[in-house]
Amino acid sequence: MTRDHSRTSPLTGSLRWVRAAQPRSEQGRWAQAAVIGAIGAASMFTLSAGALAVGARVMARLPLVPQQGLRHRPDLPVRAVHEDRVHVDRTKETEREGYLAVRQSGGAVHVRLGPVTSHPTPTTVARPLLGADTSEPLQVAKAAVNGFYWAGSPRTAHGLETEEVEVSSPVGPMPAWLVRADHTKEPGQGPGHGPDQGRDQEPGAGSAQEAPGGQGDTWAILIHGHGSMRGEALRVIPLLHRLGLTTLTITYRNDTGAPASADRMYHLGADEWEDTEAAIDFALAHGARRIVLFGWSMGGGIALRTSVRTAHRDRVVGLVLDSPAVDWQDILIYHATALKAPKPMRNLGIWMMTSTVGRRLVRLHEPLALHEMTPQYYAEHLIHPTLLFHALDDATVPPGPSRHLAALRPDLVEFAPFEGASHTREWNRDPVRYERLLADHLGRLLGLEAEAAALEVPVRDLASPALEDSIGLRL
């Protein structure tokens, strides 16, 4: 087979032209070198610009692509299982103080673990086994950490009557858990502390007028984080329930089981807030008069954006934010810097996400209004009292913007930093402090100071025995 020498690259053709010139003088040789250098530099620039664009596009798309299927894979080796304790590999997450759960076989096995008690070997930690939510025992094999601590639904985890409802959002029906206010217990008695140990109440027992402090018409809308699930709210639903709040734990576009957006991409809260607005409409149509917005991570950013854009600002009485995404540009730059991406690549990636032309390169249906998701913007437009939890060891959403927002609006924002906690794991680090702060905030906000003070926290005993129909699935 003979080669087709008629096909040459632009660089080869240019070099052939330069050689054909055959300069004779020293000046000519310098001219030839300059031309060759210019051609090489242009080629390298083209290659560098291409690599820069590819890197920027990857950086821009990473937070936009839904990743539920890529997370929560078993990656934690369980080294020993005893009757009262479990030994797991020592990692940043497992050696932290506080509570967590692990699961195996997709949730066929789920156990709840207490704080670290010892280090059996230099590479392992021992945690007490507080509860098993499934009949199948934990095995010496890889497991997945469940930072939600509880598994399943409010009914299977806490014995709370739970309705599966649909919220009609602009992109379609969104599944949600509806747990109506509890009207059957004395203030301070809750799941895990009362004689029923959190088991189901009779459906429909009580009425809105019987709720402590008359809070049956106050709804908390709970919004999970980026790539997360509704189960993120299971840690706080018992407390909200005992204070007499109805909870609506929602999904939003591109969630598993929910409709997709036109481009099948996350918009980092820029558009997802419309699904929370639909949840507010649902709540108001079903008897709500006051709304509390509660969000984790990106869900916290969605709650903030909803609070400043909703048509029902007068019905929203307050916010609770857990490790919220207050400033997406800060988050994106933080992660890009951690990956050692050069500044031009970082700037180009943000341009792709926010410009009319650039958004096409990352397949966004519309550019993202990141300039409207900053501490300065929220400080200017926020009107609702806000409790803001943030883990100081958060390596996913840095706490700086949360602290900045609180500093800009000390009249509205109560900042609650948690030492030694990772992203959205403040409750896990210290559930007693977390729930006390939450109860006191809601008590002041809703006129329930006495009821909040009477609560024994944590409302649900962390070592409660599994309910009869408990499961280990993350839902």
Side-chain angles (χ1 to χ4, degrees):
M1 179 181 293
T2 60
R3 295 184 180 176
D4 183 359
H5 296 286
S6 64
R7 297 181 180 178
T8 59
S9 69
L11 178 58
T12 303
S14 298
L15 290 174
R16 185 173 297 164
W17 172 84
V18 171
R19 285 195 295 268
Q22 294 295 319
R24 300 298 182 185
S25 66
E26 186 70 19
Q27 183 178 2
R29 284 195 295 272
W30 278 109
Q32 177 177 331
V35 171
I36 293 173
I39 294 171
S43 300
M44 291 303 296
F45 176 80
T46 301
L47 292 173
S48 299
L52 185 71
V54 170
R57 184 176 184 273
V58 171
M59 188 192 78
R61 279 180 58 85
L62 275 176
L64 306 180
V65 178
Q67 300 175 13
Q68 289 92 339
L70 301 178
R71 298 187 176 187
H72 319 305
R73 293 177 175 176
D75 57 5
L76 174 66
V78 176
R79 300 302 185 183
V81 179
H82 300 276
E83 184 177 352
D84 62 341
R85 68 191 186 281
V86 174
H87 299 178
V88 298
D89 270 9
R90 186 175 185 175
T91 67
K92 285 185 177 180
E93 190 67 19
T94 61
E95 70 179 353
R96 291 185 187 277
E97 292 298 319
Y99 299 80
L100 55 80
V102 296
R103 60 192 180 93
Q104 291 174 334
S105 303
V109 179
H110 190 273
V111 298
R112 288 171 269 129
L113 306 178
V116 173
T117 55
S118 65
H119 298 81
T121 72
T123 60
T124 61
V125 297
R127 285 178 172 266
L129 180 59
L130 300 184
D133 298 307
T134 52
S135 58
E136 189 174 331
L138 188 68
Q139 301 294 324
V140 176
K142 284 189 175 182
V145 172
N146 178 16
F148 300 169
Y149 192 72
W150 305 102
S153 69
R155 182 180 64 81
T156 63
H158 302 307
L160 301 176
E161 191 66 27
T162 305
E163 301 173 42
E164 288 280 357
V165 299
E166 288 186 342
V167 172
S168 297
S169 84
V171 300
M174 303 288 178
W177 289 329
L178 174 60
V179 178
R180 298 186 184 276
D182 182 13
H183 321 296
T184 62
K185 297 180 181 178
E186 294 298 322
Q189 178 188 331
H193 293 303
D196 64 1
Q197 291 291 301
R199 296 188 182 276
D200 290 348
Q201 302 300 315
E202 289 297 319
S207 64
Q209 288 72 28
E210 296 172 319
Q215 299 306 303
D217 59 0
T218 302
W219 287 41
I221 295 177
L222 311 179
I223 314 160
H224 69 75
H226 186 288
S228 190
M229 306 176 187
R230 283 181 285 175
E232 195 155 34
L234 291 172
R235 291 167 290 182
V236 302
I237 286 177
L239 185 149
L240 301 176
H241 188 65
R242 272 307 307 127
L243 282 177
L245 278 69
T246 293
T247 58
L248 184 65
T249 309
I250 67 171
T251 54
Y252 46 82
R253 60 196 67 186
N254 300 306
D255 274 352
T256 300
S261 61
D263 52 19
R264 300 182 180 276
M265 304 276 273
Y266 282 144
H267 286 201
L268 309 182
D271 288 348
E272 288 84 355
W273 77 272
E274 296 176 348
D275 303 327
T276 302
E277 177 78 337
I280 294 175
D281 290 336
F282 178 96
L284 296 176
H286 289 81
R289 294 186 179 180
R290 300 192 295 180
I291 302 292
V292 175
L293 297 176
F294 197 140
W296 290 259
S297 191
M298 187 172 90
I302 293 172
L304 267 171
R305 188 158 172 81
T306 304
S307 74
V308 302
R309 295 182 67 89
T310 178
H312 308 291
R313 296 190 86 188
D314 58 327
R315 296 298 185 94
V316 176
V317 294
L319 282 69
V320 180
L321 311 175
D322 189 316
S323 298
V326 176
D327 188 336
W328 270 106
Q329 291 196 50
D330 181 84
I331 295 168
L332 297 169
I333 291 172
Y334 170 83
H335 286 284
T337 303
L339 294 172
K340 302 187 184 305
K343 185 175 181 180
M345 184 180 292
R346 302 197 302 260
N347 293 340
L348 183 58
I350 291 175
W351 174 81
M352 289 178 179
M353 301 169 76
T354 57
S355 73
T356 303
V357 175
R359 57 93 181 169
R360 298 175 182 174
L361 300 175
V362 289
R363 298 184 180 180
L364 277 170
H365 189 66
E366 58 189 10
L368 305 184
L370 298 188
H371 65 285
E372 293 182 357
M373 294 184 279
T374 67
Q376 295 82 357
Y377 183 89
Y378 288 127
E380 181 181 351
H381 295 88
L382 187 67
I383 63 172
H384 304 108
T386 300
L387 174 61
L388 201 166
F389 299 105
H390 213 121
L392 296 185
D393 289 354
D394 196 331
T396 302
V397 176
S402 288
R403 191 187 297 276
H404 188 195
L405 175 60
L408 291 173
R409 293 304 306 268
D411 57 321
L412 287 178
V413 180
E414 177 186 353
F415 183 60
F418 274 67
E419 295 275 1
S422 58
H423 184 55
T424 67
R425 299 292 183 263
E426 300 89 348
W427 180 95
N428 303 65
R429 175 66 178 82
D430 190 345
V432 172
R433 178 179 174 231
Y434 188 102
E435 292 196 18
R436 175 48 54 202
L437 287 169
L438 177 58
D440 291 347
H441 173 75
L442 293 175
R444 294 188 298 270
L445 190 67
L446 304 173
L448 294 172
E449 289 91 342
E451 290 82 359
L455 285 179
E456 181 181 347
V457 294
V459 168
R460 181 79 195 280
D461 183 359
L462 303 182
S464 293
L467 302 184
E468 184 177 347
D469 54 356
S470 65
I471 60 177
L473 298 177
R474 285 169 58 105
L475 301 178

